[in-house]
Amino acid sequence: MKFAEENSFDIKDKIKADVPVVLPIGAVEAHGGHLPLNTDNILAEKYADKLAEKTNGFVLPVLPFGQVWSLRDFPGSLTLSNATLSALVSEIGVSLYQQGFRIFVIFSAHLGNMTALKDAGRNLYDQFPDMKVMYIFYPELQSLAAEVRESSANHHTYVHADEIETSLMLYLSPEDVNMERAIDDPPILPEDSDYTPTPWQKFTSTAVLGEATLATAKKGEFLIERTLEKSVEIVEKAKKEIREK
């Protein structure tokens, strides 16, 4: 159910503690030449739609800006601070709580948002410990990716404009992918990149972190549907716990 498409008269009877509300969050950032700047917004919105449908929940309009410190100097990238993003999400959560909702699911298709979302979740917990807040990024994606990946993983966490993320787009939004411009540009990340601030232009000039030419819609379908199963499981558990209170 699209939250913003409801009207005030009708939604009042649909606001219930055990009805999840999903907030999709993405970013505007460089994704090479074959994917648009709003790739993460497209993925976040379409994934959240599926999650809300499978859990009988509402989905909010996508929050289109995120924390993009690593890619902020690439053409087209826009960034918020962690503090700003955390405050935005926290205040949305407060508003939902005041309306009567008790399950707030934040799905981010951009990994860089997760620090801010965890902070927002903690802020909401401190205010409303009876509210279930979940911040999700494709559960178990890395282990699932290992089952379909033809290329080598270039990082233990990152998937960006590579075989994996391009496959997600080919499944969810093929019309937004230009495979004629896809390239293979696996970077060599500095050894200290995981524990010291490292702008990505230090190891890539394209923002493509892998072999995008190996992407397929079939791989994307496997990854989306399998991670979605886990996401649904997480939300259904929260619904059960709310009902049992």
Side-chain angles (χ1 to χ4, degrees), residues 1 3 21 24 45 107 122 131 144 211 223 229 231-235:
M1 297 179 286
F3 188 96
V21 180
E45 185 170 25
F107 175 75
R122 288 175 171 178
M131 187 182 200
L144 291 167
E211 290 87 340
L223 295 169
E229 289 174 8
S231 294
V232 170
E233 181 183 321
I234 292 168
V235 177

Side-chain angles (χ1 to χ4, degrees), residues 67-231:
Q67 188 277 108
V68 187
W69 186 91
S70 297
L71 284 155
R72 64 185 178 179
D73 293 328
F74 281 78
S77 294
L78 304 175
T79 187
L80 300 178
S81 68
N82 279 326
T84 297
L85 182 57
S86 177
L88 276 169
V89 174
S90 294
E91 292 183 23
I92 292 170
V94 170
S95 190
L96 290 172
Y97 187 91
Q98 291 171 340
Q99 286 286 317
F101 294 105
R102 294 296 180 268
I103 302 176
F104 184 26
V105 185
I106 310 157
F107 175 75
S108 177
H110 174 58
L111 187 62
N113 291 335
M114 298 310 290
T115 296
L117 301 187
K118 186 174 184 179
D119 183 62
R122 288 175 171 178
N123 288 339
L124 289 167
Y125 180 86
D126 286 343
Q127 295 177 76
F128 314 115
D130 60 327
M131 187 182 200
K132 296 291 183 182
V133 181
M134 288 140 280
Y135 29 88
I136 298 173
F137 172 82
Y138 303 116
E140 302 176 353
L141 177 62
Q142 287 295 341
S143 59
L144 291 167
E147 297 185 34
V148 297
R149 189 193 298 274
E150 294 179 71
S151 57
S152 299
N154 294 291
H155 189 268
H156 57 85
T157 304
Y158 300 152
V159 289
H160 189 83
D162 61 346
E163 176 185 1
I164 300 305
E165 188 173 38
T166 304
S167 292
L168 302 183
M169 281 289 284
L170 284 171
Y171 175 54
L172 288 180
S173 195
E175 65 274 16
D176 290 304
V177 184
N178 184 350
M179 287 302 289
E180 292 182 0
R181 301 191 69 185
I183 62 172
D184 297 337
D185 191 27
I188 299 176
L189 276 67
E191 291 184 5
D192 60 356
S193 62
D194 281 338
Y195 51 84
T196 191
T198 307
W200 280 17
Q201 67 265 27
K202 287 191 174 183
F203 55 80
T204 177
S205 61
T206 64
V208 176
L209 301 192
E211 290 87 340
T213 63
L214 297 176
T216 68
K218 184 176 180 180
K219 294 174 186 175
E221 179 179 11
F222 172 80
L223 295 169
I224 290 295
E225 297 302 329
R226 288 290 299 275
T227 63
L228 195 58
E229 289 174 8
K230 185 62 178 180
S231 294

